[in-house]
PDB file of all heavy atoms in Angstrom:
ATOM      1  N   GLY A  10      -6.183  25.308   5.008  1.00 94.00           N
ATOM      2  CA  GLY A  10      -7.372  25.931   4.457  1.00 94.00           C
ATOM      3  C   GLY A  10      -8.597  25.052   4.594  1.00 94.00           C
ATOM      4  O   GLY A  10      -8.659  23.969   4.004  1.00 94.00           O
ATOM      5  N   CYS A  11      -9.566  25.507   5.370  1.00 93.00           N
ATOM      6  CA  CYS A  11     -10.801  24.740   5.603  1.00 93.00           C
ATOM      7  C   CYS A  11     -12.020  25.496   5.089  1.00 93.00           C
ATOM      8  O   CYS A  11     -13.101  25.431   5.685  1.00 93.00           O
ATOM      9  CB  CYS A  11     -10.982  24.451   7.092  1.00 93.00           C
ATOM     10  SG  CYS A  11      -9.792  23.291   7.752  1.00 93.00           S
ATOM     11  N   GLY A  12     -11.840  26.225   3.993  1.00 91.00           N
ATOM     12  CA  GLY A  12     -12.975  26.883   3.358  1.00 91.00           C
ATOM     13  C   GLY A  12     -13.728  25.891   2.497  1.00 91.00           C
ATOM     14  O   GLY A  12     -13.646  24.677   2.694  1.00 91.00           O
ATOM     15  N   GLY A  13     -14.463  26.415   1.507  1.00 91.00           N
ATOM     16  CA  GLY A  13     -15.285  25.552   0.673  1.00 91.00           C
ATOM     17  C   GLY A  13     -14.500  24.475  -0.033  1.00 91.00           C
ATOM     18  O   GLY A  13     -14.903  23.299  -0.049  1.00 91.00           O
ATOM     19  N   VAL A  14     -13.361  24.819  -0.617  1.00 93.00           N
ATOM     20  CA  VAL A  14     -12.558  23.834  -1.348  1.00 93.00           C
ATOM     21  C   VAL A  14     -11.918  22.844  -0.385  1.00 93.00           C
ATOM     22  O   VAL A  14     -11.931  21.630  -0.622  1.00 93.00           O
ATOM     23  CB  VAL A  14     -11.480  24.529  -2.203  1.00 93.00           C
ATOM     24  CG1 VAL A  14     -10.558  23.503  -2.855  1.00 93.00           C
ATOM     25  CG2 VAL A  14     -12.116  25.407  -3.275  1.00 93.00           C
ATOM     26  N   GLY A  15     -11.353  23.342   0.707  1.00 96.00           N
ATOM     27  CA  GLY A  15     -10.702  22.461   1.673  1.00 96.00           C
ATOM     28  C   GLY A  15     -11.667  21.447   2.278  1.00 96.00           C
ATOM     29  O   GLY A  15     -11.351  20.257   2.402  1.00 96.00           O
ATOM     30  N   ARG A  16     -12.858  21.917   2.646  1.00 96.00           N
ATOM     31  CA  ARG A  16     -13.857  20.989   3.213  1.00 96.00           C
ATOM     32  C   ARG A  16     -14.285  19.952   2.175  1.00 96.00           C
ATOM     33  O   ARG A  16     -14.435  18.773   2.493  1.00 96.00           O
ATOM     34  CB  ARG A  16     -15.075  21.772   3.716  1.00 96.00           C
ATOM     35  CG  ARG A  16     -14.790  22.682   4.908  1.00 96.00           C
ATOM     36  CD  ARG A  16     -16.084  23.145   5.559  1.00 96.00           C
ATOM     37  NE  ARG A  16     -16.980  23.813   4.622  1.00 96.00           N
ATOM     38  CZ  ARG A  16     -16.968  25.125   4.369  1.00 96.00           C
ATOM     39  NH1 ARG A  16     -16.082  25.894   4.983  1.00 96.00           N
ATOM     40  NH2 ARG A  16     -17.821  25.661   3.517  1.00 96.00           N
ATOM     41  N   GLN A  17     -14.483  20.402   0.945  1.00 96.00           N
ATOM     42  CA  GLN A  17     -14.893  19.455  -0.097  1.00 96.00           C
ATOM     43  C   GLN A  17     -13.797  18.431  -0.365  1.00 96.00           C
ATOM     44  O   GLN A  17     -14.073  17.261  -0.631  1.00 96.00           O
ATOM     45  CB  GLN A  17     -15.227  20.205  -1.388  1.00 96.00           C
ATOM     46  CG  GLN A  17     -15.934  19.370  -2.439  1.00 96.00           C
ATOM     47  CD  GLN A  17     -17.289  18.864  -1.990  1.00 96.00           C
ATOM     48  OE1 GLN A  17     -18.150  19.646  -1.582  1.00 96.00           O
ATOM     49  NE2 GLN A  17     -17.482  17.550  -2.028  1.00 96.00           N
ATOM     50  N   LEU A  18     -12.545  18.863  -0.278  1.00 97.00           N
ATOM     51  CA  LEU A  18     -11.429  17.931  -0.459  1.00 97.00           C
ATOM     52  C   LEU A  18     -11.464  16.841   0.611  1.00 97.00           C
ATOM     53  O   LEU A  18     -11.283  15.655   0.306  1.00 97.00           O
ATOM     54  CB  LEU A  18     -10.098  18.678  -0.408  1.00 97.00           C
ATOM     55  CG  LEU A  18      -8.846  17.795  -0.446  1.00 97.00           C
ATOM     56  CD1 LEU A  18      -8.761  16.998  -1.745  1.00 97.00           C
ATOM     57  CD2 LEU A  18      -7.582  18.645  -0.261  1.00 97.00           C
ATOM     58  N   LEU A  19     -11.704  17.234   1.856  1.00 98.00           N
ATOM     59  CA  LEU A  19     -11.779  16.241   2.927  1.00 98.00           C
ATOM     60  C   LEU A  19     -12.916  15.250   2.676  1.00 98.00           C
ATOM     61  O   LEU A  19     -12.768  14.042   2.894  1.00 98.00           O
ATOM     62  CB  LEU A  19     -11.953  16.934   4.283  1.00 98.00           C
ATOM     63  CG  LEU A  19     -10.769  17.772   4.768  1.00 98.00           C
ATOM     64  CD1 LEU A  19     -11.085  18.436   6.098  1.00 98.00           C
ATOM     65  CD2 LEU A  19      -9.508  16.926   4.892  1.00 98.00           C
ATOM     66  N   HIS A  20     -14.063  15.751   2.206  1.00 97.00           N
ATOM     67  CA  HIS A  20     -15.179  14.862   1.872  1.00 97.00           C
ATOM     68  C   HIS A  20     -14.777  13.890   0.761  1.00 97.00           C
ATOM     69  O   HIS A  20     -15.102  12.699   0.808  1.00 97.00           O
ATOM     70  CB  HIS A  20     -16.398  15.678   1.441  1.00 97.00           C
ATOM     71  CG  HIS A  20     -17.222  16.195   2.574  1.00 97.00           C
ATOM     72  ND1 HIS A  20     -17.966  15.368   3.399  1.00 97.00           N
ATOM     73  CD2 HIS A  20     -17.435  17.464   3.031  1.00 97.00           C
ATOM     74  CE1 HIS A  20     -18.590  16.095   4.315  1.00 97.00           C
ATOM     75  NE2 HIS A  20     -18.286  17.355   4.118  1.00 97.00           N
ATOM     76  N   HIS A  21     -14.078  14.409  -0.255  1.00 97.00           N
ATOM     77  CA  HIS A  21     -13.629  13.545  -1.357  1.00 97.00           C
ATOM     78  C   HIS A  21     -12.681  12.460  -0.856  1.00 97.00           C
ATOM     79  O   HIS A  21     -12.764  11.299  -1.277  1.00 97.00           O
ATOM     80  CB  HIS A  21     -12.924  14.376  -2.433  1.00 97.00           C
ATOM     81  CG  HIS A  21     -13.842  15.130  -3.338  1.00 97.00           C
ATOM     82  ND1 HIS A  21     -15.121  14.714  -3.617  1.00 97.00           N
ATOM     83  CD2 HIS A  21     -13.668  16.282  -4.041  1.00 97.00           C
ATOM     84  CE1 HIS A  21     -15.690  15.570  -4.449  1.00 97.00           C
ATOM     85  NE2 HIS A  21     -14.830  16.537  -4.715  1.00 97.00           N
ATOM     86  N   ILE A  22     -11.749  12.846   0.009  1.00 98.00           N
ATOM     87  CA  ILE A  22     -10.781  11.879   0.533  1.00 98.00           C
ATOM     88  C   ILE A  22     -11.499  10.745   1.257  1.00 98.00           C
ATOM     89  O   ILE A  22     -11.206   9.563   1.054  1.00 98.00           O
ATOM     90  CB  ILE A  22      -9.772  12.577   1.469  1.00 98.00           C
ATOM     91  CG1 ILE A  22      -8.820  13.464   0.655  1.00 98.00           C
ATOM     92  CG2 ILE A  22      -8.971  11.542   2.274  1.00 98.00           C
ATOM     93  CD1 ILE A  22      -7.895  14.316   1.501  1.00 98.00           C
TER      94      ILE A  22
END
Side-chain angles (χ1 to χ4, degrees):
C11 291
V14 174
R16 294 194 304 271
Q17 192 63 55
L18 174 62
L19 293 178
H20 277 292
H21 282 332
I22 289 173

